[in-house]
Amino acid sequence: MTKASEAADAYPGEKRNLNLTSYNTLGVDATASRFIEIKENSELKTLANSGFFSRTKPCILGGGSNILFRGDVRVPVLRISIPGIQTIADTDSNVLVKAGAGVVWHDLVTWCVERDYGGIENLALIPGTCGAAPIQNIGAYGVELDQVFESLELFNLQTERFETFTHEKCMFGYRDSIFKRDLKGRVIVTSITLKLNKPPHDVNTSYYALENYLNQQEITSPGINDLYHAVIAIRKSKLPDPSLIGNAGSFFKNPVISKGQFNKLKENNPGVPSFPAGEGKIKVPAGWLIEQAGWKGKKVGNVGTYDNQALVIVNHGNATGAEIYNHAMNIRESVRDMFGIELTPEVNIVGG
Ligand code: EPU
């Protein structure tokens, strides 16, 4: 493409050769050849009408908290910044709350807790945007998004139309949905709608770390506000703040293995923690496996594994995407060699 035809192709407000360091929480210095910010649904239609989606397959970016730029990104980056939170239905016991894909997830949690709408308080402080939340079915402290999910709206890049997806159509699983599989890269989530509860709330304190914290604080009948603050305190103590030290939360998913494989693992490692994961399946914390393999708190060049949580890979400053990727692959190899278990990245790996 000549410079002249490239310029003619440029979308209004599009940026060229944009540095992405502040657009990814790992703080990787990568460049996007083209960068377009989407603030309203109509802009997607305008892009489609210009033939954009038939020419190119963009990289869709939300808060950049679950992405590793392994190198520069040569496909156009579309950053989804659609704002707005509103209550769209209200009964005696429930509300339907709709949030634009660009709303910061924690801001939605805070907005709901302030209005006494229960259901997502355990998901406080998870980095990222509302549009990214259903992609990996975010979860923490005994709650997953799909438990409160009602529907979402998306733009289908193939049909170039807006569609509504119900809960069933999203095919949620553990850190998984249809958007990570069949529809990967084919849709752009524009809003999500959650069904939340009015008081009296049914709070979820089942997660051991949360239960311990509440006991220590002598909070005997916690409300959603207590849970919100407890989760924030626990996360702050265990997980690094991306504004201080680059990271993308859990780098890998917790592997789910068969009961047979787990029994063998337990024979040699009686202390292995585990959680039931459905019929004949056991979930083993990847953080434990990584710690056993000697990686907890370990620093290699500019990259490291966090001191308090081995599942989090951190950028000690100026790490390249390739360095972080190699570090992750070395961890994966050690765990495979030691336990015969294959770790799967939870973060999306893009570019390079
Ligand atoms: N563990 C270790 N060493 C470590 C870390 C963990 O031995 O360095 C073991 C401990 O036995 C601990 C157990 O792993 O009791 C579980 O650890 P933790 O409660 O920290 O949870 P996790 O399974 O490591 C998951 C999510 C987190 C989420 C927490 C709390 C995944 C991949 N990660 O971590 O999500 O905050 O539970 O619910 O499922 C994220 O997705 O980015 C994320 C941070």
Side-chain angles (χ1 to χ4, degrees):
M1 200 183 265
T2 64
K3 281 246 176 316
S5 65
E6 259 184 39
D9 254 12
Y11 185 75
E14 168 175 344
K15 296 188 174 111
R16 295 273 165 139
N17 299 323
L18 185 86
N19 186 285
L20 293 169
T21 309
S22 60
Y23 290 96
N24 73 101
T25 60
L26 269 164
V28 168
D29 179 350
T31 300
S33 316
R34 301 178 64 184
F35 183 94
I36 301 170
E37 186 143 23
I38 301 294
K39 294 190 179 130
E40 47 185 271
N41 287 8
S42 62
E43 293 176 278
L44 292 171
K45 217 45 199 165
T46 309
L47 271 179
N49 292 342
S50 74
F52 180 87
F53 296 113
S54 48
R55 280 199 301 269
T56 180
K57 197 168 170 260
C59 162
I60 313 299
L61 187 62
S65 57
N66 206 43
I67 198 161
L68 167 62
F69 293 122
R70 210 172 137 187
D72 291 338
V73 188
R74 288 177 190 90
V75 296
V77 172
L78 287 194
R79 186 177 200 236
I80 311 302
S81 305
I82 300 167
I85 306 177
Q86 49 177 319
T87 305
I88 57 168
D90 194 336
T91 69
D92 286 348
S93 49
N94 298 107
V95 282
L96 289 183
V97 173
K98 181 175 174 180
V103 171
V104 171
W105 171 261
H106 181 68
D107 292 349
L108 175 67
V109 177
T110 305
W111 190 94
C112 292
V113 171
E114 279 170 1
R115 283 159 184 78
D116 218 3
Y117 300 158
I120 51 175
E121 54 283 353
N122 294 39
L123 306 181
L125 220 57
I126 293 185
T129 55
C130 290
I135 310 293
Q136 58 151 340
N137 186 20
I138 56 169
Y141 304 101
V143 173
E144 285 185 339
L145 179 76
D146 72 284
Q147 291 165 314
V148 293
F149 180 88
E150 178 74 9
S151 64
L152 59 75
E153 284 167 358
L154 57 77
F155 187 70
N156 183 323
L157 301 185
Q158 252 164 349
T159 61
E160 299 187 342
R161 284 170 192 273
F162 290 95
E163 292 174 24
T164 300
F165 266 49
T166 56
H167 189 294
E168 200 187 358
K169 253 178 119 172
C170 296
M171 300 179 76
F172 290 118
Y174 164 63
R175 290 298 195 277
D176 197 32
S177 72
I178 191 161
F179 311 113
K180 276 187 122 175
R181 287 177 273 127
D182 306 21
L183 295 183
K184 192 175 168 137
R186 292 166 175 233
V187 299
I188 295 175
V189 175
T190 53
S191 73
I192 60 169
T193 299
L194 307 181
K195 186 175 184 179
L196 301 169
N197 305 312
K198 286 188 172 178
H201 296 299
D202 211 4
V203 295
N204 184 333
T205 58
S206 61
Y207 201 80
Y208 58 96
L210 193 50
E211 207 178 0
N212 283 349
Y213 180 89
L214 293 167
N215 286 339
Q216 270 167 22
Q217 300 290 312
E218 297 178 3
I219 300 172
T220 45
S221 43
I224 63 169
N225 197 47
D226 298 311
L227 260 80
Y228 171 81
H229 287 291
V231 166
I232 290 175
I234 297 168
R235 286 189 80 96
K236 281 192 167 165
S237 70
K238 276 200 180 175
L239 298 167
D241 177 349
S243 66
L244 304 175
I245 180 161
N247 76 91
S250 305
F251 197 93
F252 297 100
K253 290 197 213 184
N254 285 329
V256 174
I257 58 178
S258 70
K259 235 178 184 142
Q261 200 181 358
F262 177 73
N263 290 340
K264 268 191 224 144
L265 179 69
K266 200 170 166 95
E267 241 171 61
N268 299 327
N269 305 274
V272 57
S274 63
F275 304 93
E279 192 72 13
K281 300 270 183 203
I282 306 278
K283 194 189 279 177
V284 178
W288 183 87
L289 297 168
I290 297 167
E291 182 174 348
Q292 299 305 305
W295 288 95
K296 192 170 184 170
K298 197 166 168 177
K299 194 173 167 204
V300 183
N302 294 314
V303 191
T305 306
Y306 193 52
D307 296 339
N308 297 339
Q309 167 54 289
L311 192 47
V312 179
I313 293 180
V314 293
N315 180 355
H316 286 296
N318 303 321
T320 64
E323 268 181 279
I324 295 176
Y325 179 78
N326 291 340
H327 186 88
M329 292 307 110
N330 289 338
I331 291 177
R332 180 152 90 157
E333 199 177 311
S334 300
V335 168
R336 187 194 301 131
D337 289 350
M338 194 161 170
F339 299 107
I341 294 176
E342 193 72 23
L343 294 180
T344 313
E346 200 224 68
V347 301
N348 294 303
I349 298 167
V350 169

